Amino acid sequence: MDDINYMYIGYSIIWGLTFVYLLKITMDQKKLAREIKMLKEVADGRRKTDSGTDRTSEN
Amino acid sequence: MKKTDYLKMIFVLIAAVLTMTGLYMAFVWAPPHGTHIFDLDQEHKDVYLAEPISDELIEAFNSSEEHINLSYNATIKQSLNQNGRLWLIKDGDSTFWIMDSDTELKVFAENMGDVQRIFYFHVASAWVAYLAFIITFIGSLAYLKTNKMKYDILAFSSAEIGIVFCTAAIITGGLWAKGTWGEFWRWEDRKLFMTLVLWLVFMAYLALRSNSDPGKARARLSAVFSIIGCMCIPLSFAANRIWTQSHPTVIASESGSLQTSMVFTLITAVFAFSFLYGAILLTKMDVENMREELEEIKQEIGDLDG
């Protein structure tokens, strides 16, 4: 194989790996943000339900 | 936007500009071939360039059987003629160098061809890998001292990025070696071997973390593991300086003096990757902080349910 091909393969690997890794962490970030938002809503809902239940039980 | 987001943007911008500059320098500005370390006019007066190349010289070169395998593309043959013993060096297709036999043979990176251009970002990748593992070491030490989870997150994030760049450095090094040595790997080369060990140690570190439950116990165990693993960094870095190896020593060594344009290109690539590392590290730490937050919310919901 010609030298120049090794050079192109080398540069492709460096930038390819970096790009794939960046893509992975960006997707992780988005997925986690979505999950956090969803679970926060769930937690708020539970808290409201709990406080409502507490008030009912107090009455 | 948070303060770290601004910092991340600045790092990304600087990394992008430096990367573009570095690529331009590597492909256009810096010389395509390796460096000639003999200075014909000053240091080695007994080495001279044969111009014009005579038919006798070509014949002498072709008929000479004894040659030195330098693993580089330049061909060196020893020849006897009326002046005594000479080294005939064929550099590429058109240049002959003639050197007296008494002259110390110091040929480094002689005419490696285009594959030499891998060098700039290969070294930058290796540098970032070392930097990332050193940050892991510092983060682990800080965690063991303070017991604060933010240091564990720093250590883990940095180790993961270190693995990515170490992988890039090992693969590109193999490609360079194939182009210059004719083989991808040399097991007898301690530099290569120690770098592989370093890579394996941190792969084990990541495997250890992914197979343990999150918490203080995992953080403590992985901190101790990474501190022990970081002992491989100086060994990997210094292997080609301590032992004579096939792997070239180009930084802080007499034998590997680079041309000015190559030095500037290398520095640009190293800075580009360092800023890129900074930006990726901040992003990865954000992700890990979010993961912690998610665990806390899950626990909170569990408590509310319970």
Side-chain angles (χ1 to χ4, degrees):
Chain A
M1 199 187 282
D2 199 53
D3 274 0
I4 204 143
N5 291 350
Y6 288 123
M7 181 189 75
Y8 286 132
I9 294 169
Y11 273 88
S12 308
I13 284 168
I14 291 175
W15 296 111
L17 268 176
T18 313
F19 176 75
V20 168
Y21 184 66
L22 270 172
L23 194 69
K24 182 194 165 278
I25 54 173
T26 311
M27 283 171 75
D28 279 356
Q29 202 175 21
K30 283 189 177 165
K31 189 183 152 205
L32 284 167
R34 214 166 39 232
E35 280 182 25
I36 287 171
K37 195 183 164 196
M38 197 178 75
L39 285 180
K40 267 185 179 166
E41 283 169 9
V42 172
D44 286 346
R46 295 275 163 85
R47 253 184 245 119
K48 275 177 197 161
T49 318
D50 281 0
S51 56
T53 318
D54 289 348
R55 241 176 274 132
T56 319
S57 58
E58 276 168 22
N59 289 337
Chain B
M1 267 173 53
K2 286 185 289 181
K3 201 176 160 186
T4 51
D5 288 336
Y6 286 110
L7 198 61
K8 215 186 306 176
M9 275 174 60
I10 293 168
F11 279 3
V12 168
L13 274 174
I14 297 173
V17 171
L18 286 177
T19 300
M20 288 301 155
T21 316
L23 284 173
Y24 173 80
M25 289 164 95
F27 282 89
V28 182
W29 189 57
H33 303 307
T35 175
H36 303 289
I37 66 151
F38 16 75
D39 184 337
L40 297 181
D41 299 326
Q42 290 155 22
E43 286 180 30
H44 301 280
K45 288 198 170 66
D46 45 357
V47 180
Y48 59 92
L49 182 64
E51 266 184 335
I53 301 160
S54 63
D55 289 341
E56 289 81 31
L57 189 59
I58 294 170
E59 201 185 323
F61 183 83
N62 289 336
S63 60
S64 179
E65 285 181 7
E66 197 179 347
H67 68 277
I68 296 167
N69 181 16
L70 279 174
S71 308
Y72 301 121
N73 286 347
T75 314
I76 296 202
K77 286 184 178 180
Q78 201 181 41
S79 177
L80 288 167
N81 67 3
Q82 67 271 25
N83 298 321
R85 202 162 58 148
L86 293 171
W87 297 111
L88 301 176
I89 307 172
K90 192 184 176 197
D91 172 11
D93 293 328
S94 57
T95 312
F96 267 96
W97 302 78
I98 302 178
M99 190 155 51
D100 280 358
S101 59
D102 296 335
T103 309
E104 193 185 352
L105 261 184
K106 281 197 209 170
V107 179
F108 167 73
E110 186 73 30
N111 192 21
M112 288 182 203
D114 274 309
V115 76
Q116 182 272 330
R117 294 182 207 264
I118 289 179
F119 158 77
Y120 305 109
F121 284 90
H122 161 76
V123 173
S125 301
W127 151 253
V128 169
Y130 287 140
L131 175 71
F133 294 142
I134 289 167
I135 298 286
T136 301
F137 177 74
I138 295 167
S140 301
L141 277 180
Y143 174 76
L144 289 179
K145 201 165 181 231
T146 61
N147 245 14
K148 285 181 182 167
M149 285 308 277
K150 65 176 181 182
Y151 293 119
D152 176 59
I153 288 173
L154 171 73
F156 167 64
S157 306
S158 191
E160 203 176 276
I161 301 165
I163 279 288
V164 173
F165 282 96
C166 195
T167 309
I170 289 173
I171 297 174
T172 52
L175 289 165
W176 174 87
K178 181 69 182 162
T180 49
W181 299 341
E183 53 193 346
F184 283 107
W185 191 266
R186 282 185 178 174
W187 286 106
E188 69 273 17
D189 191 299
R190 287 170 196 166
K191 171 86 169 178
L192 272 58
F193 186 72
M194 283 316 299
T195 311
L196 183 67
V197 169
L198 182 69
W199 184 84
L200 286 172
V201 164
F202 278 93
M203 282 301 276
Y205 169 85
L206 296 186
L208 177 82
R209 282 189 72 98
S210 63
N211 287 307
S212 317
D213 292 327
K216 298 271 180 193
R218 181 180 76 170
R220 204 176 311 115
L221 183 67
S222 46
V224 172
F225 188 94
S226 73
I227 288 168
I228 297 167
C230 282
M231 301 300 161
C232 295
I233 300 172
L235 281 175
S236 167
F237 180 76
N240 52 333
R241 289 164 177 82
I242 301 170
W243 301 285
T244 309
Q245 302 289 289
S246 317
H247 190 284
T249 308
V250 288
I251 297 159
S253 75
E254 281 178 21
S255 61
S257 53
L258 297 172
Q259 289 177 17
T260 318
S261 60
M262 296 172 92
V263 174
F264 278 118
T265 310
L266 180 62
I267 290 171
T268 310
V270 164
F271 272 102
F273 269 22
S274 301
F275 279 104
L276 186 64
Y277 162 75
I280 300 175
L281 181 67
L282 290 173
T283 315
K284 179 67 188 164
M285 283 175 74
D286 262 0
V287 170
E288 291 309 313
N289 283 325
M290 286 165 88
R291 231 185 277 280
E292 288 275 309
E293 195 185 339
L294 189 72
E295 287 300 320
E296 280 167 18
I297 299 169
K298 275 182 184 169
Q299 207 168 351
E300 195 186 336
I301 293 172
D303 290 345
L304 286 169
D305 283 347

